[in-house]
Amino acid sequence: MALLYKSDPVRGERWRALFAQQAPDIEFRQWPDIGDPAEVRYLLAWEPPSDLATRLPALEVVFATSAGVDQFDLSQLPAGVPLVRMLDPALEAGMVEYASFATLWLHRRLYDYVRQQREGQWQAHPWVAAEQRRVGILGLGQLGQAIATHLSGYGFPVSGWSRRPRQLPGITCHAGPDGLARFLASSDILICVLPLTDATRGILDRELFARLPEGAALVNIGRGEHLVDDDLLQALASGQLSAAVVDVLGQEPPAPDHPFWQHERILMTPHVAAMTQPESAFPVLLDNLRRHQRGAPMSGQIDRQRGY
């Protein structure tokens, strides 16, 4: 019985060592060294190979190396083969850290102070208490809930929106199309952590920005395809938005002439909000492998109809 890994080869060697130490009954193989395809029961991948059903005829489960699975074409996965997203505690911690940094960057107007430093200006701006800055979390899954709970500890009034109703202590929760308008109107800093689906693709557009309070700010740590780049630029130019922190883009890296590179009110980072760490992810993955082997439900299994 073998598991095939197809992702970053350097991290692959860390995965290999963990399997050798803690699960020697599962043979670890690294793409493209498949060996006998009939022995491969599990695939751990960022993106699957093409012709998956013919390449790996004995495949039983596909494990994503990421919390999101929008890079998978679900229609191309063999019927009956479950797709399981990565539940790495380090991913959650990284996203919480990044969201906290981005929120504080925007809250304390550090984009203005960076510009002033370059221009040789010494000027203080009015201080706004955290209690007066409303933070909205667009997406209240596991990551969104963790971010919301953490940010509320700074004193920010935090609200969240999800497709289905949720309850979270200390967080004002909105749900569904009817709740979206109220949620947006009360979000001075909007943080997007939605999964990417057909329904959420391009959701961060001019129509949504117009429903935010004037001068609001944006943090996108969901997926690049959530954001309409030109609409963000127009919202910043008009003053509808004051600034943005963008960690994900539709094209990564962006073209050298992409306007985000030099925009003084956009902080752009290269998809680094969180990264799967084999050492912290391995216990969760191994637990799911053992669950599958004994016929028990796995944690993080994707609903193919919803796409997450």
Side-chain angles (χ1 to χ4, degrees):
M1 178 174 56
L3 176 144
L4 176 64
Y5 171 84
K6 183 178 181 290
S7 191
D8 175 56
V10 175
R11 285 191 211 171
E13 292 308 311
R14 293 159 62 188
W15 283 109
R16 184 191 302 278
L18 289 163
F19 272 95
Q21 295 165 4
Q22 301 184 43
D25 58 304
I26 301 175
E27 182 184 354
F28 182 90
R29 299 177 184 175
Q30 185 157 310
W31 179 271
D33 297 326
I34 296 178
D36 183 354
E39 297 173 350
V40 177
R41 297 289 188 270
Y42 306 109
L43 174 67
L44 174 62
W46 163 249
E47 291 181 326
S50 59
D51 303 322
L52 190 58
T54 54
R55 284 179 183 267
L56 302 174
L59 187 66
E60 296 179 4
V61 185
V62 176
F63 294 98
T65 59
S66 57
V69 296
D70 53 274
Q71 70 274 24
F72 287 83
D73 183 347
L74 299 181
S75 67
Q76 298 301 309
L77 294 182
V81 174
L83 173 62
V84 180
R85 65 186 182 92
M86 183 60 67
L87 299 174
D88 178 6
L91 276 176
E92 180 177 310
M95 292 291 273
V96 169
E97 287 178 3
Y98 190 97
S100 301
F101 142 75
T103 299
L104 294 173
W105 169 275
L106 296 166
H107 170 58
R108 298 301 299 268
R109 295 179 58 173
L110 292 182
Y111 48 88
D112 276 335
Y113 292 115
V114 169
R115 174 185 53 80
Q116 289 175 195
Q117 181 179 346
R118 288 197 305 265
E119 297 174 354
Q121 296 181 14
W122 187 267
Q123 178 185 354
H125 296 281
W127 179 74
V128 176
E131 291 81 2
Q132 297 174 282
R133 188 85 70 189
R134 300 165 298 177
V135 176
I137 313 298
L138 190 58
L140 280 179
Q142 178 180 344
L143 296 177
Q145 291 183 40
I147 291 168
T149 300
H150 185 81
L151 289 178
S152 67
Y154 288 103
F156 295 111
V158 179
S159 61
W161 180 88
S162 55
R163 192 180 70 158
R164 299 178 179 180
R166 295 185 182 274
Q167 292 184 343
L168 196 60
I171 309 301
T172 303
C173 296
H174 304 271
D178 294 340
L180 184 59
R182 294 191 300 273
F183 164 75
L184 293 173
S186 63
S187 297
D188 299 315
I189 297 176
L190 179 68
I191 303 175
C192 179
V193 287
L194 287 168
L196 182 65
T197 66
D198 290 341
T200 65
R201 194 179 307 274
I203 191 172
L204 301 176
D205 62 2
R206 68 179 67 191
E207 179 182 346
L208 181 143
F209 297 149
R211 300 164 81 178
L212 294 169
E214 184 176 358
L218 172 69
V219 179
N220 187 20
I221 49 177
R223 285 289 188 258
E225 291 85 351
H226 285 134
L227 177 64
V228 180
D229 293 0
D230 288 343
D231 289 3
L232 173 59
L233 293 168
Q234 291 176 19
L236 290 169
S238 70
Q240 178 59 26
L241 293 185
S242 59
V245 177
V246 177
D247 184 56
V248 287
L249 291 99
Q251 176 185 333
E252 296 180 353
D257 61 349
H258 195 291
F260 284 9
W261 283 112
Q262 303 300 328
H263 201 293
E264 65 181 19
R265 288 185 174 263
I266 296 177
L267 175 62
M268 183 173 64
T269 55
H271 207 141
V272 295
M275 300 178 186
T276 298
Q277 300 301 314
E279 292 76 14
S280 56
F282 183 81
V284 182
L285 174 63
L286 183 59
D287 178 65
N288 266 336
L289 287 165
R290 299 308 188 204
R291 285 170 175 261
H292 178 262
Q293 289 170 350
R294 63 177 183 266
M298 293 178 289
S299 303
Q301 184 168 330
I302 298 303
D303 182 328
R304 291 201 184 208
Q305 295 298 317
R306 292 189 296 170
Y308 59 92

